[in-house]
Amino acid sequence: MARYLIITIICAWALAGCNEIEEAVKDAKKDGSAPPKDNYIVLLDLSDRILFNNQQQVPKDIQVVQSIYAAFKSKLNAKDPTRLYFTVKDKLKLMVAPQRTTSSEVYDMAGNLRLQLAAAQPEEKAKLLEETEKNFNAFLPQIYKKAVISNNSTSYAGADIWKYFNEDLQDDLEKDAQNTLFIITDGYMDFESLNGRASRNNRYTSCTQIINNLKKAPDWNSRFKEGDYGLLPVNKRFPNLKVIVLELNPKDDWTGEYNLLTTIWSKWFNEMGIKSYAFIKDDNINEINESIEKLLKVKLPSSANITSVSWTPVTESDPEITKAAKNKATMAAQTSDITPVTETVKTTAQKKENSNSYNSYSSYAYSEPAAPQKKKENVKEREYIRVSAVKGQIDTSSIHSRTNPKKPISKPKEQVTFGPAY
């Protein structure tokens, strides 16, 4: 008898729970109002920074993305405790910053890591959220495997974050949402070569160019303001955007490096109308998670409850790296004597440099010294190669980047810098 009584009580509890959920759905339909919409964009810098500390930057990146996804879920659950997300229309997507040496396969894989709740049927939203999380955990390591094309920094072009802001960001924003952009980067915006990079007065496209001009000057802050140093402006405004720059990794050979680095980014954001921004230094994942919790006002699960990342460093003997190295060597051999193409690029860069509009600037318009011309050369053959190369859009991944070896950072406990209105 007692056994049947227990079963009856359990069934009653279950029915009561179901009735509560049904009532919540009815209330949501009756109310018709939707909670504020969030749009999360995660932008990855896959330049040579991923080689840092024997590629241990990679699992750190993946853990940070997982924490951002956990924060996204926490926000959803706060908006709808029933976990049905009936009226929730939040979005989240992963993006890879434009980069010459990153394969199209990486961009294709990243394009599948996105979640748009408004496009899902009400009964499918909770399931879609869990499936997308599994996809993130499964595909992120594969994306990084494809992104590691060499263990040599000179094989990587820079991640063009400037170009993303100038050409792509506007399309990723939602007018009716609170947009939050997470940029995972070391903070330097370095490219293939600092020589020949477009600049105007004291405006550049790489933080390194500015730092090299002001580094170790006792009055660097005054010189920065008086000389109007900074990144080339993007002729667009993003007032409805919050930006969080994560994993800034200042070099430790100058104590003012971090302050100048964040000053450069802050000025750039302000000039684009972005008033809400924050910076988080590269640190252990628990410190980073605490910073994310403070900035987003959410509670994240402990690190033990987030899927752990197992990463085996990619070596030069891996097939993917061998294939990439062969392709690079082949393209280098094909383009070594194409002087006219180099001259064309150089002319284009000069025209853009003299332009009165910042918006006409392309961050890949740079010039390199022309290759030495061979004494004996078949003119027709050279012309054929030149025309074929232009039509085929030469892969310039063979152009080397000049980067400094990174040292382990030494940082104070306080590692979060806030913008003026975050």
Side-chain angles (χ1 to χ4, degrees):
M1 186 69 180
R3 179 180 178 185
Y4 291 115
L5 180 60
I6 293 173
I7 293 175
T8 302
I9 293 173
I10 292 174
C11 291
W13 281 345
L15 289 173
C18 291
N19 289 335
E20 288 179 5
I21 294 175
E22 289 176 0
E23 288 299 321
V25 173
K26 288 179 182 178
D27 291 341
K29 289 181 178 179
K30 189 185 300 182
D31 185 14
S33 62
K37 181 179 176 181
D38 276 298
N39 178 32
Y40 281 14
I41 307 161
V42 183
L43 182 67
L44 299 183
D45 172 352
L46 298 182
S47 62
D48 69 320
R49 63 176 285 277
I50 62 179
L51 303 181
F52 180 57
N53 197 17
N54 193 28
Q55 300 178 28
Q56 286 309 301
Q57 190 67 50
V58 172
K60 173 79 70 60
D61 279 13
I62 296 174
Q63 287 177 313
V64 169
V65 175
Q66 289 175 325
S67 294
I68 293 172
Y69 197 93
F72 180 77
K73 283 180 61 178
S74 180
K75 285 267 190 178
L76 289 180
N77 294 339
K79 293 176 183 180
D80 186 357
T82 68
R83 307 293 194 271
L84 297 175
Y85 315 118
F86 183 76
T87 59
V88 179
K89 299 181 179 180
D90 291 11
K91 292 180 64 176
L92 181 146
K93 67 193 304 185
L94 184 80
M95 303 294 293
V96 175
Q99 188 172 324
R100 285 183 177 274
T101 49
T102 299
S103 69
S104 59
E105 189 174 0
V106 169
Y107 292 102
D108 291 341
M109 293 173 69
N112 293 321
L113 296 184
R114 58 188 61 205
L115 174 68
Q116 187 172 353
L117 286 175
Q121 295 297 321
E123 64 273 13
E124 296 293 329
K125 289 187 175 183
K127 181 181 178 182
L128 179 62
L129 185 65
E130 299 304 321
E131 288 179 349
T132 305
E133 183 174 9
K134 291 178 181 178
N135 287 339
F136 267 77
N137 294 338
F139 287 109
L140 271 173
Q142 295 184 36
I143 287 175
Y144 277 89
K145 285 282 186 183
K146 295 290 184 182
V148 179
I149 59 171
S150 169
N151 282 318
N152 188 342
S153 292
T154 60
S155 299
Y156 293 79
D160 201 341
I161 296 172
W162 193 98
K163 184 177 183 180
Y164 174 77
F165 272 80
N166 189 50
E167 299 180 8
D168 304 318
L169 177 57
Q170 194 70 59
D171 293 334
D172 292 331
L173 302 181
E174 297 286 323
K175 293 182 179 179
D176 59 344
Q178 173 55 65
N179 299 284
T180 304
L181 172 64
F182 302 86
I183 307 176
I184 299 179
T185 178
D186 59 5
Y188 284 90
M189 293 193 188
D190 284 339
F191 298 95
E192 296 90 327
S193 173
L194 297 183
N195 290 333
R197 296 294 302 167
S199 64
R200 186 170 287 106
N201 299 324
N202 290 326
R203 295 304 186 103
Y204 303 90
T205 56
S206 166
C207 294
T208 298
Q209 292 170 292
I210 303 169
I211 292 173
N212 287 344
N213 278 283
L214 301 177
K215 196 168 187 176
K216 299 184 180 179
D219 60 340
W220 69 262
N221 199 18
S222 299
R223 290 178 59 190
F224 181 87
K225 294 177 181 177
E226 295 169 2
D228 192 27
Y229 280 87
L231 295 169
L232 280 171
V234 171
N235 286 344
K236 293 178 182 176
R237 295 293 176 267
F238 307 102
N240 187 27
L241 175 64
K242 295 180 180 179
V243 181
I244 301 177
V245 185
L246 300 105
E247 300 190 69
L248 284 173
N249 194 351
K251 301 175 178 67
D252 64 351
D253 58 340
W254 177 47
T255 56
E257 189 100 5
Y258 178 70
N259 288 335
L260 179 51
L261 195 59
T262 55
T263 298
I264 294 168
W265 280 86
S266 297
K267 182 174 183 176
W268 194 49
F269 289 150
N270 285 319
E271 289 178 339
M272 291 185 288
I274 302 171
K275 301 301 181 183
S276 297
Y277 53 85
F279 305 100
I280 302 177
K281 266 189 179 181
D282 193 14
D283 203 345
N284 70 70
I285 190 62
N286 290 323
E287 291 289 330
I288 293 175
N289 284 348
E290 284 185 17
S291 300
I292 291 174
E293 288 180 327
K294 291 177 183 177
L295 292 171
L296 299 180
K297 296 180 175 60
V298 298
K299 182 63 179 176
L300 296 178
S302 65
S303 299
N305 293 328
I306 296 178
T307 304
S308 60
V309 181
S310 176
W311 178 260
T312 303
V314 180
T315 66
E316 297 294 343
S317 61
D318 289 337
E320 290 297 329
I321 281 190
T322 302
K323 180 180 177 183
K326 287 182 178 179
N327 290 340
K328 183 178 176 182
T330 300
M331 292 306 299
Q334 291 176 349
T335 61
S336 60
D337 295 325
I338 308 175
T339 305
V341 175
T342 305
E343 291 171 350
T344 302
V345 174
K346 185 175 182 179
T347 303
T348 304
Q350 289 174 344
K351 288 181 180 179
K352 291 181 181 293
E353 180 66 17
N354 295 328
S355 170
N356 293 323
S357 171
Y358 285 122
N359 205 32
S360 65
Y361 164 74
S362 169
S363 54
Y364 279 136
Y366 59 88
S367 60
E368 293 287 345
Q373 188 174 2
K374 293 181 179 180
K375 293 182 179 179
K376 295 182 179 179
E377 192 168 39
N378 187 305
V379 177
K380 292 184 179 180
E381 183 180 357
R382 285 183 65 248
E383 181 63 15
Y384 172 77
I385 295 175
R386 185 187 71 80
V387 173
S388 300
V390 172
K391 288 182 177 179
Q393 296 183 342
I394 301 169
D395 180 6
T396 55
S397 62
S398 60
I399 300 174
H400 293 334
S401 62
R402 298 197 308 183
T403 55
N404 296 321
K406 296 176 182 176
K407 305 174 184 177
I409 62 171
S410 56
K411 55 174 282 306
K413 173 68 174 177
E414 181 57 43
Q415 50 87 55
V416 181
T417 306
F418 295 89
Y422 206 102

